[in-house]
Amino acid sequence: METITLPKVILSRNTLTGPSVNKLTRTIGDLKGLFNDQKAFEEQDPARTAYEVESYFPVAEGTEGGLFFGITRLQPGLIGNEYVMTKGHSHVLENRAEFYWGIEGEGMMLFMDKSRNTWAEKIFPGSVHYINGFTAHRVANTGESILAFGACWPSDAGHNYELIAKNGFSKRLMKINGVPQLA
Ligand code: PAN
Ligand code: ZN
């Protein structure tokens, strides 16, 4: 047995590479229903990429005790006055926590607890964000360029998109008077 091997995945700044990397692209069309300004949403090209996620799943989804690792590259832009954002989700096993960290660009991490209190933290290169269990999370790009961030979460967390798709966050990240504000 080889005792010295190469890593299965390489992270170079905002990109994960290697045969074990899983790639996912979400288009603007995949974000239907999430933005406040329906008319502005319909004026967008639904095929345009909103974000790409590269993930490393070293164990099977649902494995207790394992970890998953991902990089997200989120495009900039506004839909109406609302910043382009990820779908957002809570975890199926609701007590499962997660780390996010900023790599490139600037944005805002949105959190919402079970009582529907929403708050935000600024994301920038080097920022570290701990997402408690029982807390829905989403990211908005408030800059003019790509926002790249990392994430690490338990392999048995699972993603629940339905609650956010149906009820949203209790606040939106809007550009008001030229700056990002929760409204
Ligand atoms: C992240 C997210 C990723 C894309 O890896 O899945 O940033 O966001 P959505 O899943 O909300 O579309 C994570 O939070 N994993 O648990
Ligand atoms: Zn998550």
Side-chain angles (χ1 to χ4, degrees):
M1 187 192 139
E2 290 282 342
T3 49
I4 299 180
T5 61
L6 288 171
K8 293 196 172 61
V9 171
I10 310 279
L11 169 64
S12 72
R13 209 166 76 102
N14 69 4
T15 308
L16 270 192
T17 50
S20 307
V21 173
N22 180 284
K23 296 188 186 189
L24 169 85
T25 298
R26 291 216 202 273
T27 63
I28 292 289
D30 291 331
L31 305 180
K32 188 174 166 61
L34 299 182
F35 294 91
N36 194 41
D37 188 335
Q38 192 58 36
K39 189 168 169 287
F41 182 80
E42 276 158 17
E43 286 164 4
Q44 306 286 318
D45 172 4
R48 181 162 67 88
T49 296
Y51 54 100
E52 297 164 305
V53 187
E54 289 162 352
S55 305
Y56 177 29
F57 306 127
V59 294
E61 171 95 46
T63 302
E64 191 183 327
L67 292 171
F68 289 160
F69 186 95
I71 298 296
T72 301
R73 291 184 298 270
L74 177 61
Q75 295 293 322
L78 287 166
I79 297 186
N81 290 326
E82 196 169 3
Y83 296 99
V84 169
M85 60 189 177
T86 59
K87 284 177 84 167
H89 59 266
S90 49
H91 293 151
V92 175
L93 291 188
E94 292 187 282
N95 70 354
R96 296 308 196 252
E98 180 164 3
F99 273 117
Y100 274 29
W101 60 95
I103 296 173
E104 171 187 354
E106 56 188 80
M108 209 69 87
M109 164 108 229
L110 269 66
F111 305 86
M112 185 174 74
D113 68 17
K114 296 284 283 178
S115 308
R116 294 187 56 76
N117 298 306
T118 296
W119 67 100
E121 268 175 20
K122 277 189 179 183
I123 304 184
F124 50 86
S127 65
V128 176
H129 311 273
Y130 182 68
I131 305 160
N132 254 314
F134 302 97
T135 307
H137 41 287
R138 134 179 306 162
V139 168
N141 187 341
T142 59
E144 310 272 306
S145 58
I146 280 180
L147 170 65
F149 59 92
C152 184
W153 68 102
S155 47
D156 62 355
H159 294 113
N160 180 347
Y161 291 102
E162 282 164 34
L163 273 182
I164 295 303
K166 193 161 153 249
N167 303 324
F169 278 60
S170 59
K171 291 198 170 115
R172 296 175 175 280
L173 195 71
M174 312 291 289
K175 187 171 189 175
I176 301 172
N177 299 327
V179 292
Q181 293 187 45
L182 280 176

